[in-house]
Amino acid sequence: MFLLPDYRVRQRDYLLNISRAITAQLDLGEVLRMVLQAATSMLSGEVGIIALREGDVFRTRAIFGVPPEQAHLFDALLEELPASPGSSEAEVQAFHARLRSIARRVDPALRQVVALPMSVADDMLGIVFIFRAYAGAPTQNDYQLLQSFADQAAIAVHNARMYAAVNQERQRLAAILDHSADGVMILDPQLRVERWNRALSHMTGWRPEQATGRHHDVVIRWRQREIGPDLTDMVRQGWPRQRSDHTSPETIYVEGDLERLDGSVLSVGITYAALTDEDGRLLNVIANVRDITHFREAERLKSTFISVVSHELKTPVALIKGYADALSRDDADWDRATIKNGLTVIEEEADRLAELIENLLEASKLQAEGMKLTYDDVSLPALARQSIERFQTQTDKHQLRAVFSPDFPIIRGDTKRLRQVIDNLVSNAIKYSPQGGEIVISGAFTDTEVQVSVRDQGIGLPPDQLQRVFERFYRVDSSLAQKAQGTGLGLYLADAVIKAHGGRIWAENNPDGGATFSFVLPRGD
Ligand code: ADP
């Protein structure tokens, strides 16, 4: 073909337009159509097709010069093409012959085909075909010309695929962030929030749109920081750049009580990791925030357990040992009353020890396997009276009384466990009313439920702790309450027994002083 001088100018203009379209990230289909139109026109072709490789097959992605109703014919024909045409001269010739026959089947006028692979870095993405109405082989020039367009088309496809992959990756990351149970935030180098996930929003009370753009120190406010350095200080000192002594850590761990937006407090542990460029400059800080309330609670329980148990074990053991030592001294001649008194103390303290051990075993068994009940017929008034009989012998200061109507129903329940509950409530009523007073166990019932209450005239409970006394090892933190010995297990076990029966237990303060502990149970059949 004879090259007109404006030929190169047209080619350049076309290529310029196409690369602008690629840069502007126009729709891929649009760019490929531009490529085809330009290539077809420059090569004086009739029809242009871009087929992209998808796995083992080629599919038409853009078509030019074919009426839409005929486009599907090319689709069907392209399916006959091998995905790798081969590279030897013979293979290429055979490939072109095949293409020509395909084209002629669509339109007998299409007698020549110029086809070139579209490749980026040895990756063959597809093929550009230009079909012409005249016979003969395409020239070297035709190929050179088409190559420039094929290259552009390859870049457009490559870019679009990369863009789609990046987009997909971004969406995947966003989904991971949003569905993570841990709080996650991403900070810019100035430590302003770039991303704030849903879990973190839940933890802190700051919604993502409120937190985004704010400085880390505004949204992460420590009521008390117990472990780890201050992030802002660390970054000011050059974190995470490795210092010469290699002491700068790659991640920072901080733990403490975080102040939420509404002023309440949450125990969290935050791990900060730095994302840096090749020169070690900070690009982002990625922080993982974990709610450690349960962990802390477990720690607290463990230490409470140890202090309570060691204290509670030591006292009776010391008393038993003291009395046993004294009574067994050879040089002393104790009178009967003193010996009796000493033995009573030893017996009581041994009982206390046995009860403590029993409670501890119960509590750990409860955790491991839940509460198992043995059902029989239970008379709660009888249990109340037996309890009163037993405890009245231990105190002169208190007057114990049971108030049940004679028709109080028999219920289905575990006698041994329910006796344990009533005994515990009565024993607490005595323990926590050191001035003495009246202790009344009363009953009430409806068609479906029975209720038992134990009322005392003692020290009562701080209103905000009425619920908490049922927690494991929980003891009211006041000097009055702490005067009485205890492990904080009694009400925890009572709560477990009542719940296992399908009932509920609660505490109230009496208007005229003292506390009332009540439980209701279903009557059963
Ligand atoms: P313990 O008595 O061994 O400490 P409990 O689980 O029986 O454990 O009780 C938990 C806490 O509830 C007690 O430490 C006490 O502070 C409080 N409490 C229980 N009963 C009463 C009561 N009748 N009056 C006031 N406070 C009580």
Side-chain angles (χ1 to χ4, degrees):
M1 199 205 298
F2 182 67
L3 288 183
L4 291 169
D6 79 334
Y7 176 89
R8 294 254 163 236
V9 179
R10 275 175 61 213
Q11 183 191 8
R12 195 202 59 202
D13 286 350
Y14 272 133
L15 290 176
L16 214 65
N17 275 343
I18 293 165
S19 63
R20 271 201 208 110
I22 292 176
T23 320
Q25 282 183 356
L26 279 188
D27 172 59
L28 178 64
E30 198 65 44
V31 176
L32 295 184
R33 256 190 305 281
M34 277 176 80
V35 171
L36 273 185
Q37 190 188 353
T40 314
S41 149
M42 288 297 295
L43 284 158
S44 312
E46 308 290 325
V47 169
I49 294 178
I50 289 180
L52 296 187
R53 202 166 65 154
E54 286 173 19
D56 286 343
V57 291
F58 284 101
R59 276 190 215 295
T60 319
R61 183 68 173 77
I63 201 154
F64 177 79
V66 179
E69 64 274 13
Q70 277 193 324
H72 69 278
L73 290 172
F74 275 93
D75 248 346
L77 294 172
L78 279 169
E79 278 172 18
E80 295 175 21
L81 283 183
S84 328
S87 53
S88 76
E89 183 63 19
E91 279 169 326
V92 172
Q93 289 300 334
F95 181 62
H96 278 164
R98 197 137 174 211
L99 281 171
R100 275 198 302 279
S101 85
I102 289 174
R104 270 205 295 277
R105 257 185 281 163
V106 176
D107 180 353
L110 300 178
R111 279 185 291 170
Q112 193 196 76
V113 61
V114 194
L116 273 180
M118 295 158 43
S119 311
V120 169
D122 282 347
D123 185 12
M124 205 254 252
L125 303 176
I127 305 176
V128 193
F129 306 100
I130 304 294
F131 295 94
R132 297 203 282 212
Y134 44 89
T139 65
Q140 201 54 38
N141 260 332
D142 291 337
Y143 281 117
Q144 264 174 13
L145 189 59
L146 187 55
Q147 188 65 60
S148 59
F149 291 104
D151 287 347
Q152 295 277 50
I155 291 170
V157 171
H158 182 69
N159 280 4
R161 286 190 178 162
M162 284 228 303
Y163 185 73
V166 167
N167 228 1
Q168 206 180 1
E169 189 60 19
R170 188 180 301 155
Q171 277 168 0
R172 213 167 62 91
L173 267 181
I176 292 174
L177 275 187
D178 266 344
H179 293 106
S180 157
D182 284 347
V184 179
M185 64 180 149
I186 300 177
L187 307 173
D188 69 12
Q190 282 73 44
L191 302 186
R192 281 183 308 243
V193 175
E194 268 181 12
R195 272 203 73 105
W196 188 266
N197 79 343
R198 237 184 288 169
L200 192 51
S201 173
H202 200 71
M203 282 180 187
T204 57
W206 288 87
R207 289 195 308 275
E209 64 273 18
Q210 286 176 302
T212 309
R214 290 190 200 256
H215 191 271
H216 168 269
D217 295 354
V218 175
V219 284
I220 300 293
R221 275 198 305 255
W222 294 107
R223 178 73 60 85
Q224 195 182 340
R225 202 181 64 236
E226 281 153 18
I227 298 176
D230 183 76
L231 176 70
T232 309
D233 286 348
M234 288 295 281
V235 171
R236 216 175 279 143
Q237 288 162 26
W239 181 77
R241 240 168 294 149
Q242 285 272 315
R243 289 199 292 253
S244 51
D245 54 356
H246 295 283
T247 54
S248 186
E250 274 169 28
T251 58
I252 300 177
Y253 181 72
V254 182
E255 191 177 300
D257 292 334
L258 197 68
E259 200 176 299
R260 306 177 75 241
L261 186 57
D262 64 5
S264 58
V265 165
L266 183 73
S267 299
V268 296
I270 307 186
T271 308
Y272 298 98
L275 201 68
T276 53
D277 64 13
E278 285 134 30
D279 300 328
R281 263 191 303 266
L282 189 60
L283 293 177
N284 281 119
V285 177
I286 298 162
N288 184 285
V289 187
R290 188 161 280 193
D291 181 348
I292 55 166
T293 315
H294 291 300
F295 176 69
R296 286 241 174 149
E297 188 65 10
E299 288 280 293
R300 193 181 63 79
L301 274 182
K302 209 163 73 186
S303 64
T304 318
F305 173 81
I306 292 167
S307 67
V308 164
V309 169
S310 53
H311 175 252
E312 289 293 305
L313 285 174
K314 263 196 211 144
T315 323
V317 170
L319 277 169
I320 291 171
K321 183 150 176 35
Y323 274 91
D325 272 354
L327 291 182
S328 62
R329 272 167 61 174
D330 292 334
D331 55 345
D333 187 13
W334 304 112
D335 59 51
R336 273 207 69 75
T338 315
I339 295 173
K340 177 126 188 45
N341 180 37
L343 289 175
T344 308
V345 172
I346 290 176
E347 211 180 324
E348 280 174 5
E349 293 305 315
D351 283 350
R352 239 172 58 148
L353 264 183
E355 192 195 315
L356 170 68
I357 291 164
E358 177 73 11
N359 277 351
L360 284 174
L361 288 177
E362 285 272 333
S364 66
K365 221 164 65 188
L366 189 61
Q367 268 204 310
E369 56 198 52
M371 171 87 48
K372 291 201 184 76
L373 299 179
T374 315
Y375 278 91
D376 46 22
D377 288 340
V378 185
S379 163
L380 290 167
L383 290 185
R385 280 184 208 108
Q386 288 158 12
S387 181
I388 286 178
E389 244 172 64
R390 224 163 326 125
F391 282 101
Q392 188 67 78
T393 59
Q394 299 179 11
T395 171
D396 301 330
K397 285 194 284 189
H398 302 87
Q399 298 83 50
L400 277 65
R401 181 153 82 78
V403 184
F404 285 86
S405 75
D407 57 348
F408 194 89
I410 299 289
I411 61 152
R412 294 291 294 169
D414 186 322
T415 311
K416 194 170 145 243
R417 301 280 190 195
L418 291 172
R419 173 179 290 127
Q420 212 181 349
V421 173
I422 292 176
D423 281 357
N424 182 253
L425 295 183
V426 174
S427 132
N428 276 353
I430 296 171
K431 240 173 30 178
Y432 298 104
S433 47
Q435 311 289 349
E438 201 181 38
I439 291 166
V440 181
I441 315 179
S442 59
F445 60 92
T446 65
D447 286 346
T448 53
E449 284 182 337
V450 295
Q451 175 172 336
V452 173
S453 300
V454 180
R455 193 181 74 223
D456 63 46
Q457 298 177 313
I459 60 175
L461 286 153
D464 61 339
Q465 294 177 32
L466 290 167
Q467 294 277 334
R468 298 210 63 188
V469 290
F470 296 99
E471 291 172 17
R472 196 155 50 121
F473 292 124
Y474 194 85
R475 304 201 69 217
V476 170
D477 187 13
S478 75
S479 56
L480 264 181
Q482 297 283 346
K483 263 192 201 127
Q485 287 176 336
T487 51
L489 281 177
L491 290 178
Y492 167 72
L493 291 172
D495 183 60
V497 170
I498 298 300
K499 279 193 181 135
H501 278 85
R504 57 185 195 284
I505 185 168
W506 70 96
E508 292 162 289
N509 279 319
N510 307 324
D512 49 354
T516 298
F517 282 79
S518 309
F519 62 83
V520 293
L521 294 173
R523 281 176 66 162
D525 31 288

